[in-house]
């Protein structure tokens, strides 16, 4: 059973629209979350990290974290075709050095 | 940006053969990781290392060995390759706040 679950599996949004991606851990030891983005045929690259309850914004990207429910979400406003990619959520817990990844959400932004 | 280099980029192996995947990082990061990526499974952790001489088992270590002879190099060894090990393999090193920097990946086909 995967420690990190992501939803939806795939998402299509129009250019300029808002994309919302979800991630939940089933492991109560999880403490830290990351979001990675992987364009087709490329390697994953870290997009944002969040370690404390609340919200973090970087440009068009906003991440929320609720540690009590072990849930994080990524919101992309004014989505662009270049945002089309696989978005991977990662989490670590009692062993901070080990990151577990979800299966990802495939985002398609249609022009 | 942090540099992680994997070789080979593509490999075709025969069932029962030995396969070695190599990874080199020039970031002077202590932690290094091997993941495999299959459709629907995201990234699954095979082995990781805290430094030269150290190897630890991840979630799916069966059928794989790892070797960390130096700070820079981390290898993944398949002693007896099987078709179920056909996958894309990513090496990563861990930087500040455990941000992972991934190599370009190795596509392995076991026939």
């Amino acid at each position: 059973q995967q420690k990190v679950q992501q939803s939806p599996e795939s998402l299509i949004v129009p250019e300029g629209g808002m994309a919302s991606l979800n991630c939940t851990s089933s492991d109560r030891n999880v403490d830290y979350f990351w979001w990675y983005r992987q364009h087709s045929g490329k390697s994953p690259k870290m997009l944002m990290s969040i370690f404390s309850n609340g919200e973090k914004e970087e440009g068009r990207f906003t991440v929320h974290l609720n540690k009590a429910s072990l849930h994080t979400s990524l919101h992309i406003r004014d989505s662009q075709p270049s945002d089309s990619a696989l978005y991977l959520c990662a989490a670590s817990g009692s062993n901070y050095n080990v990151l577990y990844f979800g299966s990802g959400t495939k985002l398609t932004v249609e022009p | 940006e942090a540099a992680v280099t994997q070789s080979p980029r593509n490999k075709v192996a025969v069932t029962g053969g030995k396969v070695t995947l190599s990874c080199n990082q020039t970031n002077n990061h202590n932690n290094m990781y091997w993941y495999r990526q299959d459709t629907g499974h995201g990234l699954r952790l095979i082995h990781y290392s805290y430094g030269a001489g150290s190897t630890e088992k991840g979630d799916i270590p069966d059928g794989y060995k790892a070797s960390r002879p130096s700070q820079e190099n981390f290898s993944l060894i398949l002693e007896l390759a099987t078709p179920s090990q056909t996958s894309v393999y990513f090496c990563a090193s861990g930087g500040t706040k455990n941000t992972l920097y991934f190599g370009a990946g190795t596509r392995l086909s076991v026939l």
Side-chain angles (χ1 to χ4, degrees):
Chain A
Q1 183 185 6
Q2 283 193 303
K3 290 177 168 42
V4 178
Q5 296 83 39
Q6 293 186 243
S7 64
E9 284 188 17
S10 61
L11 180 64
I12 301 173
V13 299
E15 184 174 356
M18 171 76 84
S20 296
L21 292 67
N22 297 293
C23 173
T24 303
S25 174
S26 56
D27 184 347
R28 299 299 309 180
N29 291 317
V30 162
D31 231 359
Y32 308 111
F33 288 89
W34 292 259
W35 285 93
Y36 282 74
R37 181 167 69 180
Q38 183 178 23
H39 286 107
S40 181
K42 302 294 186 182
S43 57
K45 285 186 169 50
M46 203 273 286
L47 192 61
M48 291 182 74
S49 61
I50 187 160
F51 300 157
S52 305
N53 270 327
E55 178 181 300
K56 184 175 176 181
E57 182 177 332
E58 291 181 3
R60 297 183 294 110
F61 299 87
T62 302
V63 173
H64 294 270
L65 175 60
N66 181 328
K67 280 198 170 186
S69 60
L70 297 176
H71 178 263
T72 179
S73 57
L74 172 67
H75 306 273
I76 308 171
R77 62 176 172 80
D78 189 25
S79 297
Q80 301 298 308
S82 58
D83 294 328
S84 296
L86 181 68
Y87 288 78
L88 295 160
C89 176
S92 71
S94 52
N95 186 348
Y96 169 72
N97 293 291
V98 176
L99 269 66
Y100 297 99
F101 286 82
S103 300
T105 293
K106 183 179 179 182
L107 173 65
T108 303
V109 181
E110 292 186 332
Chain B
E1 184 168 300
V4 179
T5 305
Q6 292 182 233
S7 62
R9 292 294 315 279
N10 293 281
K11 173 75 177 177
V12 179
V14 295
T15 297
K18 182 176 180 178
V19 177
T20 300
L21 306 183
S22 300
C23 180
N24 175 275
Q25 56 111 352
T26 58
N27 314 312
N28 198 32
H29 289 160
N30 289 329
N31 297 343
M32 294 187 75
Y33 306 83
W34 277 106
Y35 288 89
R36 64 177 282 178
Q37 185 172 37
D38 305 285
T39 304
H41 287 281
L43 291 163
R44 290 184 289 175
L45 182 63
I46 306 170
H47 284 287
Y48 60 102
S49 168
Y50 293 121
S54 137
T55 60
E56 306 289 336
K57 293 180 179 179
D59 274 351
I60 54 165
D62 293 346
Y64 302 94
K65 284 174 52 179
S67 174
R68 182 88 181 269
S70 65
Q71 179 81 339
E72 296 80 18
N73 295 295
F74 190 37
S75 298
L76 186 68
I77 302 143
L78 291 66
E79 295 277 5
L80 294 169
T82 68
S84 65
Q85 294 175 313
T86 293
S87 187
V88 179
Y89 291 84
F90 285 101
C91 174
S93 69
T96 305
K97 291 189 177 180
N98 216 19
T99 296
L100 298 189
Y101 296 90
F102 287 87
T106 295
R107 186 173 296 275
L108 173 65
S109 296
V110 183
L111 306 177

